[in-house]
Amino acid sequence: MALQRVVALLTEPMAPFEHAVASEVFGMDRTEEGVPDFEFISAGPVAGQPVQVMTGGAFLPTHDWSEAATADLVVLPASGIREDYPDELLDVVREAHARGATVLSICSGSFVLAATGLLDGKRATTHWRYLQQFKERFPQVDVTMDVLFVDNGSLITSAGTSAGIDACLHLVRREHGASVATTIARRMVVPPQRDGGQRQYVATPVPECQAESLQPLLDEVLATLHEPHTVPTLAKRALMSERTFARRFVAETGTTPHKWLLQQRVLRARELLEATDSSVETIAREVGFGSAAVLRAHFQTVLGTSPQRYRRAFSPTQAPIPTPTPTTTTAPA
């Protein structure tokens, strides 16, 4: 299993919610629903020694930072930003990464990751509130606030609290497929992917859908993706003019009707590629693309890969294809 042992490294003062984000995604037993049996460990400077919490009180970690030595995933939750971080902490993160572990930071946890030097020359993100401070402290890192998270392969940085959920679910999707990520998201009552089509490296934020007036229509469309939906037909069903419908749609979902429909069709195609043996042509018709050629074009645009390669990588009935050796350590913009 590529991703099984998860270790969250805690520093004082720790942010309890950001730690809970990782704990909720990786620490809950959902094996009865087909979710892998993750092992989640909370580690502090000293096992059994309380770690101060930002909101008051203390958290008692059961292990110490050395647990990162055998982790598949090291999580750096948010904490108070410090002038200096313990050398022991930075060393265990560097060593875990060098051994092959993925490192994921949530919110201000990016400061710890940047302090290791691992983000030098790479793109990253952090909470918008700390953007300028991050830039001044780590000028060698290409930091941006215009994304929910940045995936550099073995290094993932996420923005604020809810973006930490997005990054964790993205990593689950990347390693275990869309169905597992969707199962976890459903239990957490959060969108499985907020932008509807996060690419492998960078996800552009789109506000969560608050479509109180359009939600019934959106649900109907999701159930009939194979039909030829257009803005005029959708506006008519919503009893609005096309211009009013387009404005309302953007206001309530954060994206245009065309982009939303495209993203939902690609997402559904991805699920069918994982869960069925249907041909690409059949799946294209089922999700409303009409032909395999159209599906392939949109799949490549949204996900950066082809349907066939995606199926070989994520379908449980297909053997995974070899991953090409990267020629650069900097994620594409």
Side-chain angles (χ1 to χ4, degrees), residues 2-7 22 25-26 36 38 72-75 100-106 149-158 163-178 180-182 184 192-193 198-200 314:
L3 176 60
Q4 197 271 330
R5 195 166 194 265
V6 181
V7 178
V25 174
F26 299 107
F38 299 114
D72 302 312
L73 170 65
V74 174
V75 179
T102 296
V103 184
L104 185 154
S105 68
I106 301 175
F149 60 85
V150 176
D151 181 346
N152 284 290
S154 60
L155 299 171
I156 301 176
T157 53
S158 62
I165 299 175
D166 295 312
C168 288
L169 290 176
H170 163 77
L171 181 58
V172 171
R173 185 182 307 112
R174 191 187 79 179
E175 298 298 322
H176 295 287
V180 173
T182 300
I184 296 174
Q193 55 180 62
Q198 295 167 1
R199 291 182 62 86
Q200 182 178 2
F314 289 103

Side-chain angles (χ1 to χ4, degrees), residues 57-123:
F59 180 86
L60 192 66
T62 54
H63 297 74
D64 62 40
W65 290 335
S66 66
E67 293 295 325
T70 55
D72 302 312
L73 170 65
V74 174
V75 179
L76 300 174
S79 63
I81 297 172
R82 300 161 58 165
E83 288 297 322
D84 296 295
Y85 294 98
D87 289 337
E88 179 187 359
L89 172 63
L90 303 182
D91 286 343
V92 298
V93 175
R94 294 188 191 103
E95 291 167 4
H97 181 259
R99 183 183 47 78
T102 296
V103 184
L104 185 154
S105 68
I106 301 175
C107 193
S108 60
S110 59
F111 281 73
V112 178
L113 183 52
T116 67
L118 294 174
L119 289 177
D120 289 0
K122 296 180 174 62
R123 201 176 190 210

Side-chain angles (χ1 to χ4, degrees), residues 11-255:
T11 57
E12 290 187 325
M14 65 170 280
F17 196 91
E18 282 75 3
H19 170 260
V21 164
S23 178
E24 178 70 22
V25 174
F26 299 107
M28 300 294 291
D29 183 357
R30 300 187 176 100
T31 52
E32 290 185 356
E33 299 176 73
V35 175
D37 184 18
F38 299 114
E39 178 186 9
F40 183 81
I41 293 171
S42 299
V46 179
Q49 179 173 303
V51 175
Q52 180 185 353
V53 175
M54 282 182 175
T55 54
F59 180 86
L60 192 66
T62 54
H63 297 74
D64 62 40
W65 290 335
S66 66
E67 293 295 325
T70 55
D72 302 312
L73 170 65
V74 174
V75 179
L76 300 174
S79 63
I81 297 172
R82 300 161 58 165
E83 288 297 322
D84 296 295
Y85 294 98
D87 289 337
E88 179 187 359
L89 172 63
L90 303 182
D91 286 343
V92 298
V93 175
R94 294 188 191 103
E95 291 167 4
H97 181 259
R99 183 183 47 78
T102 296
V103 184
L104 185 154
S105 68
I106 301 175
C107 193
S108 60
S110 59
F111 281 73
V112 178
L113 183 52
T116 67
L118 294 174
L119 289 177
D120 289 0
K122 296 180 174 62
R123 201 176 190 210
T125 192
T126 190
H127 194 289
W128 61 265
R129 182 180 180 187
Y130 310 124
L131 180 68
Q132 191 57 40
Q133 184 179 357
F134 190 99
K135 284 183 176 180
E136 293 172 358
R137 187 164 173 179
F138 305 109
Q140 64 276 30
V141 181
D142 178 17
V143 64
T144 176
M145 61 174 281
D146 296 327
V147 295
L148 291 173
F149 60 85
V150 176
D151 181 346
N152 284 290
S154 60
L155 299 171
I156 301 176
T157 53
S158 62
T161 301
S162 61
I165 299 175
D166 295 312
C168 288
L169 290 176
H170 163 77
L171 181 58
V172 171
R173 185 182 307 112
R174 191 187 79 179
E175 298 298 322
H176 295 287
S179 62
V180 173
T182 300
T183 297
I184 296 174
R186 185 180 299 114
R187 281 284 300 271
M188 294 175 65
V189 196
V190 298
Q193 55 180 62
R194 281 195 288 166
D195 72 346
Q198 295 167 1
R199 291 182 62 86
Q200 182 178 2
Y201 293 98
V202 178
T204 303
V206 174
E208 294 181 23
C209 176
Q210 303 294 333
E212 294 180 358
S213 64
L214 294 181
Q215 192 62 58
L217 175 61
L218 300 186
D219 291 341
E220 185 180 343
V221 172
L222 289 176
T224 57
L225 284 175
H226 60 282
E227 296 182 1
H229 300 292
T230 65
V231 172
T233 61
L234 294 177
K236 183 177 180 180
R237 286 157 67 177
L239 302 179
M240 300 177 188
S241 69
E242 292 180 30
R243 181 173 298 181
T244 299
F245 175 76
R247 284 199 305 266
R248 179 71 62 82
F249 200 99
V250 172
E252 295 188 359
T253 69
T255 189

